[in-house]
């Protein structure tokens, strides 16, 4: 079992994560992240994720996230348009097809259920 812990998200060191070039709509966004906890079966993941400005597409997992810094507009195909910034919480559902327009480097803490 993983012990309890605390982490200061704004200062956390992140690792570059390759972004599939097919997801990039415009700009040259770069992604980095860090998994801070994962369940033994790998079906629950908690972490930090960051993306620099640009426009990307994605197919989402079941996710709850809180924006720590930056801002973006997340368009859910056939659904809502989410405008998120510091302090905002959002929920994405598995299978949501999204387009992220990142206005300023966005850092979020997330909880994903697979």
């Amino acid at each position: 079992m993983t012990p309890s812990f605390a982490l200061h998200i704004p200062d956390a060191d992140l690792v570059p994560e390759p972004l599939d070039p097919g997801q990039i709509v415009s700009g040259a966004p770069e992604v980095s992240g860090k998994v801070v906890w994962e369940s033994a079966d790998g079906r629950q993941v908690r972490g930090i994720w960051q993306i620099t400005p640009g426009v990307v597409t994605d197919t989402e997992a079941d996710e709850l996230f809180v924006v720590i810094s930056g801002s973006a507009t997340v368009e859910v195909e056939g659904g809502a348009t989410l405008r998120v910034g510091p302090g905002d919480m959002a929920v994405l559902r598995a299978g949501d097809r999204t387009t992220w327009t990142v206005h300023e480097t966005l850092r979020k803490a997330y909880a994903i259920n697979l």
Side-chain angles (χ1 to χ4, degrees):
M1 179 190 288
T2 304
S4 298
F5 66 93
L7 177 66
H8 189 67
I9 297 168
D11 298 332
D13 288 328
L14 306 181
V15 176
E17 297 177 356
L19 186 59
D20 177 350
Q23 290 180 266
I24 299 172
V25 175
S26 68
E30 295 179 5
V31 172
S32 56
K34 177 178 189 166
V35 172
V36 298
W37 181 86
E38 186 172 348
S39 64
D41 65 3
R43 295 183 52 83
Q44 297 179 34
V45 182
R46 312 295 185 246
I48 304 165
W49 185 81
Q50 180 171 289
I51 185 168
T52 62
V55 181
V56 298
T57 60
D58 200 10
T59 301
E60 304 297 336
D62 185 27
E63 177 181 3
L64 177 145
F65 68 86
V66 176
V67 176
I68 305 305
S69 59
S71 65
T73 302
V74 184
E75 295 176 58
V76 179
E77 186 177 288
T81 296
L82 315 174
R83 289 172 180 79
V84 296
D88 290 334
M89 180 182 81
V91 174
L92 299 171
R93 293 293 168 211
D96 280 351
R97 296 172 60 97
T98 57
T99 300
W100 290 69
T101 301
V102 181
H103 310 292
E104 60 180 300
T105 299
L106 182 129
R107 183 175 281 217
K108 67 180 183 174
Y110 66 82
I112 293 176
N113 295 314
L114 302 171

